[in-house]
Amino acid sequence: MRIFKALIPAALALLVASAALGQSNPPRNSYLDKRVNSTADLVQQVQKDSAVMDRYRRHFAMTNEEVVAYLSSLRVSKLDKDGVYTVYGVPHTSGDFHAHLRLLKKGEPVFVESDGTPALQLVCGNPLLLGPKKPVTPNPVATATGPVEGTREIPVEAPPAVSAVAPTPETPEVGQPVQPVYPTPHANSNPVAMLLGLAGAVGFFPHHHSPPPVPEPVSMVVLAGGLAAFALRRRTRKA
């Protein structure tokens, strides 16, 4: 019984120490190594802990002085409504950044910028944005693997499928003239055939299909009279 009574204070002290340790240590994949309650605590930890400084410097693509200046401009506040935010994290074993979507509830304590934009979670110091420089790829940002709690997916209609079959030409109605379809000349046509066709068109070759001209009756009479006079003249000379 005495031993049991002696263990009670030790157990209570262990619980108090565990609770204090849990309150001082942030969750896994946090940018901070210890929890903070104010902007001064945040800046002090960044300046004293080189590992914490390196995480913020790489994330925001800033120098040490720029990191201190940016974090000093933040202030502690609370979210005024629920919202889905991109929360960045960094495993301490690998040091590689990752990101995921998380639903933060109204009243969540955060560090905000001067215009009220949430910048860091107070509990872990993890950024909720890329900072004023907005680096393109401080790390590969992962997308959400599934629907986020409290959000509603909006269906997107797929565009209509395009058929690869050529459309069938419409049949003309009765009584309508049918437009002839001429073959389209190809760019690789035979040049000899083209020259021959051109020569025939301009009259280089005779057109055999044209009928011979028919002499008129008056012309025939004149021609016959001339021949008769020529023959009579030759007879007169001989005589």
Side-chain angles (χ1 to χ4, degrees):
M1 189 68 177
R2 292 179 179 179
I3 297 176
F4 180 74
K5 290 182 179 181
L7 291 177
I8 292 178
L12 292 177
L14 182 61
L15 290 176
V16 173
S18 300
L21 183 63
Q23 291 179 355
S24 62
N25 291 335
R28 293 177 55 188
N29 304 332
S30 299
Y31 276 51
L32 298 176
D33 287 340
K34 295 180 181 180
R35 293 193 179 186
V36 297
N37 297 315
S38 64
T39 303
D41 294 342
L42 174 65
V43 175
Q44 183 179 9
Q45 183 175 159
V46 169
Q47 290 177 326
K48 290 185 177 181
D49 195 327
S50 59
V52 176
M53 171 64 82
D54 179 68
R55 293 165 194 155
Y56 286 114
R57 185 179 64 245
R58 290 188 294 121
H59 177 86
F60 292 121
M62 296 178 175
T63 63
N64 292 5
E65 293 76 12
E66 290 174 335
V67 170
V68 172
Y70 175 67
L71 297 182
S72 300
S73 67
L74 304 179
R75 59 183 176 85
V76 178
S77 181
K78 294 182 179 180
L79 297 178
D80 56 356
K81 60 181 179 180
D82 297 350
V84 178
Y85 294 86
T86 300
V87 181
Y88 295 87
V90 52
H92 295 183
T93 55
S94 64
D96 296 329
F97 298 105
H98 63 82
H100 60 279
L101 298 179
R102 178 179 297 176
L103 177 63
L104 301 182
K105 296 290 187 177
K106 178 181 178 180
E108 172 84 15
V110 292
F111 287 99
V112 298
E113 295 181 341
S114 57
D115 59 354
T117 302
L120 309 176
Q121 280 190 284
L122 181 67
V123 66
C124 56
N126 290 13
L128 304 176
L129 41 71
L130 294 177
K133 286 191 173 183
K134 293 180 174 54
V136 178
T137 53
N139 54 277
V141 178
T143 57
T145 56
V148 182
E149 180 184 358
T151 61
R152 180 175 60 89
E153 294 185 359
I154 301 176
V156 179
E157 297 182 359
V162 179
S163 175
V165 181
T168 304
E170 298 181 357
T171 304
E173 298 180 0
V174 179
Q176 292 184 352
V178 179
Q179 297 294 334
V181 180
Y182 299 98
T184 304
H186 298 282
N188 57 351
S189 300
N190 190 348
V192 178
M194 295 177 61
L195 291 175
L196 293 177
L198 180 61
V202 299
F204 184 80
F205 295 98
H207 298 276
H208 298 285
H209 59 275
S210 300
V214 179
E216 298 179 0
V218 177
S219 301
M220 294 181 65
V221 172
V222 173
L223 181 59
L227 291 176
F230 180 74
L232 181 61
R233 187 176 182 182
R234 290 190 65 183
R235 285 184 180 182
T236 303
R237 287 183 180 181
K238 288 182 180 181

